[in-house]
Amino acid sequence: MDKKAFFHKLVTFTAAVHQVTHEITKEVKSNTITPIQYSILEYIAVSQPVTLSQISDCQHMSMPNTSRELKKLNEKKLCEKFVVAEDRRKQYIRLSKEGEIMMNEAFKHIEARFLQRIKDASDEDLEEINQSLDVLHSKVFYSSKSL
Amino acid sequence: MDKKAFFHKLVTFTAAVHQVTHEITKEVKSNTITPIQYSILEYIAVSQPVTLSQISDCQHMSMPNTSRELKKLNEKKLCEKFVVAEDRRKQYIRLSKEGEIMMNEAFKHIEARFLQRIKDASDEDLEEINQSLDVLHSKVFYSSKSL
DNA sequence: CCCTTTGCTTATCATTTGATAACAAAATCG
DNA sequence: CGATTTTGTTATCAAATGATAAGCAAAGGG
């Protein structure tokens, strides 16, 4: 396969993903949280419970800054901290009731937008999309600290 | 197919794409430009010549802020402005010689990083990835201003 | 020829984000 | 036990980004 073309395809693809998600999420964000706070909430929502270090790693944010943003989210009653019995330095972070509600609404909106995008897809198309997501996630866009 | 699981997959996938591209581009950015300036340069690189309004639209940035960032890039000798003969209000923006060099190096680095990510992939894997990119780009992450 | 619109600029201010130093408590290890 | 590492906090400062008001020159339309 032509490496140059392949790489070009990858770059335009990532640009497209950014463009589409930006379009969709900008309608989603409540005006009470900042973009970074939204992405933290999103991460918590799909990965909870998580520790502060995990958020810091995943969002490429320093511990102090992560701690600060989390404190703000806490003050806004959108997430909660729980000490971990086995290691009392750590804390598990989960969405609060309100946080769950907010993120559920956000996801519902995103869902609607995506539905609109795939409304012309057949069942086979959907299965194909499903498999493509698996392939790309596992073979290209996997997360890896070691790289 | 379970809709809930499907959208969960979509959301985590887009998050993964963001994280990976963030990881890769953060190594690329010279310390002389900010993230936003980088993304402007990237846009100019693939779309030049562009007008200030086009950048403003595409980057979802207000005209005044776009103007400011462009002025900084100009002072850093990374891009140049040319008045348009047909409409002297407009200006075409292009990368300067230095800007071209910088972006070529950036793209080369991104290519290397992606290659590293797929270095364990077999030829069949690559073909699968290639097809998955096509599927997702055409059926989900297509660009459409009208949506 | 006025009047409006378009494309862009400058200035200013508030907020968000990034970076760093200094600290503390719990765990781990020799 | 004492030293070190891990996990997280608080405080502070600098820089980047977002938002808004005011202005200006060229283009276009009646």
Side-chain angles (χ1 to χ4, degrees):
Chain A
M1 189 190 314
D2 179 12
K3 293 231 172 196
K4 217 70 186 174
F6 183 68
F7 164 70
H8 186 267
K9 195 181 274 191
L10 260 173
V11 169
T12 50
F13 176 74
T14 56
V17 171
H18 274 82
Q19 181 77 23
V20 169
T21 54
H22 183 279
E23 252 169 57
I24 291 179
T25 56
K26 80 177 170 191
E27 304 160 347
V28 158
K29 280 173 230 154
S30 109
N31 48 3
T32 62
I33 59 173
T34 69
I36 285 210
Q37 284 166 10
Y38 173 80
S39 90
I40 290 177
L41 284 183
E42 201 178 71
Y43 175 64
I44 299 176
V46 299
S47 313
Q48 58 188 332
V50 293
T51 65
L52 202 142
S53 319
Q54 282 178 293
I55 298 175
S56 170
D57 281 351
C58 254
Q59 304 284 315
H60 308 99
M61 217 183 310
S62 71
M63 287 280 285
N65 292 337
T66 307
S67 181
R68 176 186 59 198
E69 295 311 316
L70 227 42
K71 190 182 173 188
K72 289 180 190 166
L73 287 172
N74 224 293
E75 282 160 3
K76 291 171 184 170
K77 310 281 186 204
L78 293 171
C79 68
E80 291 163 354
K81 300 178 181 181
F82 303 90
V83 288
V84 178
E86 307 87 56
D87 187 339
R88 276 161 39 205
R89 288 170 306 183
K90 294 188 185 177
Q91 30 182 268
Y92 279 148
I93 295 147
R94 288 195 182 82
L95 294 184
S96 69
K97 202 82 185 170
E98 276 180 73
E100 291 278 6
I101 291 170
M102 173 187 259
M103 290 315 288
N104 277 339
E105 286 206 17
F107 284 154
K108 219 186 301 178
H109 186 93
I110 293 171
E111 220 177 294
R113 289 312 226 176
F114 270 126
L115 266 180
Q116 209 173 345
R117 286 189 158 259
I118 61 176
K119 66 177 186 299
D120 293 332
S122 66
D123 280 356
E124 301 93 68
D125 285 339
L126 286 180
E127 190 44 46
E128 207 178 19
I129 291 170
N130 192 36
Q131 285 170 17
S132 297
L133 287 172
D134 287 335
V135 167
L136 291 185
H137 201 162
S138 62
K139 295 183 179 167
V140 183
F141 299 103
Y142 52 86
S143 77
S144 98
K145 303 211 60 182
S146 51
L147 255 175
Chain B
M1 190 188 316
D2 180 11
K3 290 227 170 189
K4 219 69 187 173
F6 183 68
F7 284 111
H8 187 270
K9 197 181 275 190
L10 258 174
V11 170
T12 50
F13 176 74
T14 57
V17 171
H18 274 83
Q19 275 169 32
V20 169
T21 54
H22 182 280
E23 240 169 70
I24 291 178
T25 56
K26 81 175 171 192
E27 303 162 346
V28 158
K29 283 173 229 154
S30 107
N31 48 6
T32 63
I33 59 173
T34 71
I36 285 209
Q37 284 166 10
Y38 174 80
S39 88
I40 291 177
L41 284 184
E42 204 179 64
Y43 175 64
I44 299 175
V46 299
S47 312
Q48 58 188 331
V50 293
T51 65
L52 203 141
S53 320
Q54 282 177 293
I55 298 175
S56 171
D57 280 350
C58 251
Q59 305 283 312
H60 309 98
M61 216 184 312
S62 71
M63 285 282 285
N65 292 335
T66 308
S67 181
R68 175 185 57 197
E69 296 309 317
L70 226 42
K71 190 182 172 189
K72 290 179 191 167
L73 287 173
N74 225 293
E75 284 162 0
K76 290 171 184 169
K77 310 282 186 205
L78 293 171
C79 69
E80 291 162 355
K81 300 178 181 181
F82 303 91
V83 289
V84 179
E86 305 87 58
D87 187 338
R88 274 161 40 205
R89 290 170 304 184
K90 295 187 186 177
Q91 31 181 270
Y92 279 148
I93 295 147
R94 286 195 183 82
L95 294 185
S96 68
K97 202 83 186 170
E98 276 181 74
E100 292 278 5
I101 291 170
M102 174 187 256
M103 290 315 287
N104 278 339
E105 286 207 15
F107 284 152
K108 220 186 302 182
H109 185 93
I110 293 171
E111 199 174 333
R113 285 315 225 176
F114 269 125
L115 279 179
Q116 206 175 347
R117 283 190 159 260
I118 59 177
K119 67 177 187 299
D120 294 331
S122 65
D123 280 355
E124 300 93 71
D125 285 340
L126 285 180
E127 190 44 46
E128 207 179 20
I129 290 169
N130 191 36
Q131 284 172 17
S132 297
L133 286 172
D134 287 336
V135 167
L136 291 184
H137 201 161
S138 63
K139 296 183 176 165
V140 183
F141 299 104
Y142 51 88
S143 82
S144 94
K145 298 216 94 177
S146 50
L147 252 176

